[in-house]
Each structure stands twice: as structure tokens, then as C-alpha cells.
Amino acid sequence: MFDRSRKGERALLLQPHAPGQSDPDVLEEFAELARSAGATVVGTLAARVDTPNPRYFVGTGKAEELKTHRVVLDADLILVNHALSPVQERNLEKLTECRVVDRTGLILDIFAQRARSHEGKLQVELAQLKHMSTRLVRGWTHLERQRGGAIGLRGPGETQLEIDRRLLAERVKQLQRRLDKVETQRAQARRSRERSALPVVALVGYTNAGKSTLFNAMTGAEVYAADQLFATLDPTLRRIDGLACGPIVLADTVGFIRDLPHDLVAAFRSTLAEARDADLLLHVIDASDPERDTRVADVERVLAEIGATDIPQVLVFNKMDRIDADAIPAESPDREGAPRVWVSARDRLGLDRLGDAIASVLGRERIAGTVELPATAGRLRARLHAQGLVAAERVRDDGGWDIDVDAPRNLVEPLFGLPDGDGERLRGALLAPSGDPTYNPESPLHRR
């Protein structure tokens, strides 16, 4: 057997493709993935695959050609832009005498480098172990040895492979228990936000579309952002005030990519739940990407996989500074009901239009009116201020207050259930006898 290099810095890329479907953009994205993992791409090799070879995935001739390229280029790592079976991966390693990593393994390696939070590290390790569990026979001959031999060292007769599989299965169960606990905590936090009636707006999109840069521009946060794939993994949430629809919680989530490994989607289910449980999705799209329509379709597939297709969307075309101004439409027509907004997160252009689009979606149903509160209703007054529902306030001579309320229905209605008659007082003031809101869109109150 060969000695596996642990450097992994000089990578030879193998790009399988169906007949007549060779796409240089796909290869360039894979090269960018390799560079994001810290590898130096020393060469590429395309391989037409009519029917996957059960031994090497590619044909025998192409596998021999891959071996020759590896020697000539002095590569210590072969990256294959496709999922390989354990047998195919092991056979390619044996033939080329070089470490072979498929697309899933490469993405998992990048995620392992990027994870910062405790939850993120647990999620990545779980996905890695599930991927590794089928690859324990990759050529280490010691895995076939049985314990035993000298007196005092004889074991139960398990092979090293069986021991490793058992230990790995135990570790997977342990990680799953820890992640279940973290997911419970996240669910409690989401329920707390629901009780506070703050709508959640989640940023989603293809990796490197500029989600974190946009998040920083909208919130003033300092989330790590870089021009690389999967720059950030861990979700970050910030409250935003000052929108016409009232305060919101903005969530930055992990970026998507084509052929995202299913194990990774499963491992990151609690992180992706921020998108699945959001009230609105800001689908961030790289406006300068010539393949942006394909990227949108890839993101939609992942959203369907996590059950988030029915959530309202705003399509945010980012990086408008990189394209010709004539290519930006004068109007923003809807695409299947989703408003379209053009912005530059880096230059902070178009953020006002984006705020208006968010408010238009979340604030379509508003409730407005004047609430007359006696001096004894201080608790309800404080609650209205805390929720950001007060448009104007006047103090009466008797010590009470006249409070103008103008807010989305979803922020006001939870207060109708307040005890001690406060909820009924609020309901009676804001709803007409017919139950319809007394809100007038032409009122100056709406333009506060």
C-alpha cells in the first residue's frame, strides 16, 4: 500500500460529465471549492462518463490517464467533482497511489475549517463521521488485524475495523444527543421570539452571493465576510428597528451550493430551521454571476428539501456595482409574486428600497388607531412602547394617554390576549365593530 500524503496542497481535479454536457463554469466552481479548502490546483482533467464504472466511476482508460497526470504534475491529492462510492474511492487511491477525495468529502472539509460555534463544530463532525463510516476500509491494513497474540494482550477477537466501526457508531450517537439538545434550545429561542411577535427575516442564497456583507450593511454587525465559498457557517441574528413594518429579526444563514450533501443538510437541520421557520426570505442573488438563474434554481431545490418553499420571498440582486447600469431594469417587476430589489451591499446602495420591500411584504395587513389609556394602564403603555407600536403619544390632563398605534396586524394581535382587560381595551380601540382594521393607508400616520 502507498503512504498517504497529509499535505494535500497540490490538487489535481477530475471533472466527470455526461456526454455533451461539459460546463467550464462547473469546473471553475469546483476549483474555487478546492482553493477554499486550502489546496493549490495544479491541473484539471475532464472525463466523459456515459455509465459510471463500478470500479473507478470513470472508465479504465481515463483512470490510467489520471494516474499519469498525477505523476507528471506531482499532485498529492486528487479531487473528484462527484460523489464516489467507498469502493470507487479506494480503487482510485490504489491505482493512482494518491489520496482521493470526492465532492462530498471536500465540502465537509471546508465546513470543518469554517465552523466556529460549538453547534457548528458538532454538526460538521456528525456529517463527517456519517460520511467516514462507509470508508473505514480505505486501505489501512491494520484495520484487518485481530487483537490478541501475546499473553495479557489477547482481546475478544474483534478486528480493528470492527472496533473502529463500533467506536464511530457510539460517537455518532453521542453527537446526535448533543445536537438534539442544541436544537431544543434553538426551538425555545424561536418560541421566545414568536411570543415577542417579532417577524424573522432570513437571508438565503447561493454561497458567496454576499449574504454576510448585506447582513452587516443592514444591521451594522461585523459578521465575517470574504470573497470565498462558505465564508461563514454559523447563523447570526440581529434586531433591526426603524422599518415601516416595525422591528424585525434578521438572520444570516449558511450559503447553499449545487449538489449539497444530504448528510450535511441533515446535520445542519437546526441551523437551516432559521430559514424554514422565517416569516420572510431575502433570496440574495449575485447579479454579476452569468449563471445566476441556475444558482436561483439550485437554492430553490435546497429550500424545497428543508420545507421552506411556501415562505414569501424578496429577490435581492446584490453586487449591482459590478454590472452595467443599463442592465438594471428601471422598474422591479415581480417574479412569481416575489418583489425584486437591486442593491450593492458593499457600497450600501439600494438598502432603502430593500427596507421598503420588506415592509411591503410584512406590513400588508396593518392596524391603526388611537388608544385612550387611563393613568392606571401603565403596563399596557409600556408594552406598546416595548413592541415599537407607538407612532405618537399625547398626555391628557387627567394623567392618561392618547396613543396612536400603527403597526402590522401580526405584531398587534398577540396583545389582544393580555390579561386584566388590557387586551380587550386595545382590541376595542383598534378594530371597528365589523372586525376590520380602521387603518387608512392615506393617513399621515402611515407615513411616520
Side-chain angles (χ1 to χ4, degrees), residues 200-217:
V200 176
V201 179
L203 292 167
V204 299
Y206 208 79
T207 181
N208 207 29
K211 294 184 301 302
S212 295
T213 303
L214 181 60
F215 182 86
N216 291 338

Side-chain angles (χ1 to χ4, degrees), residues 127-197:
Q128 283 183 318
L129 290 180
K130 287 184 176 179
H131 183 66
M132 187 189 305
S133 63
T134 59
R135 286 163 165 77
L136 287 180
V137 291
R138 295 179 64 183
W140 287 280
T141 55
H142 77 280
L143 295 179
E144 299 172 355
R145 301 174 190 154
Q146 286 190 336
R147 295 179 58 191
I151 295 176
L153 297 178
R154 293 191 179 97
E158 284 184 296
T159 64
Q160 185 66 44
L161 178 60
E162 291 168 340
I163 294 173
D164 286 354
R165 280 177 173 165
R166 176 165 48 81
L167 294 176
L168 187 146
E170 292 173 357
R171 177 62 176 167
V172 166
K173 292 179 181 178
Q174 183 183 40
L175 289 173
Q176 194 65 64
R177 287 194 296 269
R178 292 184 181 180
L179 280 174
D180 289 342
K181 184 180 296 185
V182 172
E183 187 170 4
T184 300
Q185 294 170 348
R186 279 197 173 276
Q188 291 173 344
R190 282 193 292 272
R191 285 195 294 271
S192 177
R193 293 198 298 270
E194 290 171 358
R195 285 194 296 270
S196 67

Side-chain angles (χ1 to χ4, degrees), residues 246-295:
I248 65 170
V249 173
L250 186 66
D252 185 19
T253 62
V254 63
F256 301 155
I257 196 171
R258 72 179 72 188
D259 301 325
L260 192 65
H262 292 286
D263 284 344
L264 204 55
V265 173
F268 275 70
R269 65 186 186 278
S270 60
T271 301
L272 295 173
E274 297 295 348
R276 184 190 63 215
D277 297 335
D279 299 284
L280 173 65
L281 299 179
L282 299 185
H283 185 165
V284 183
I285 303 164
D286 183 352
S288 64
D289 189 346
E291 298 292 323
R292 69 188 187 195
D293 290 338
T294 302
R295 305 285 187 260

Side-chain angles (χ1 to χ4, degrees), residues 402-417:
D402 290 336
I403 297 179
D404 295 334
V405 174
D406 175 25
R409 175 185 285 271
N410 67 313
L411 293 183
V412 179
E413 284 189 337
L415 300 183
F416 291 164

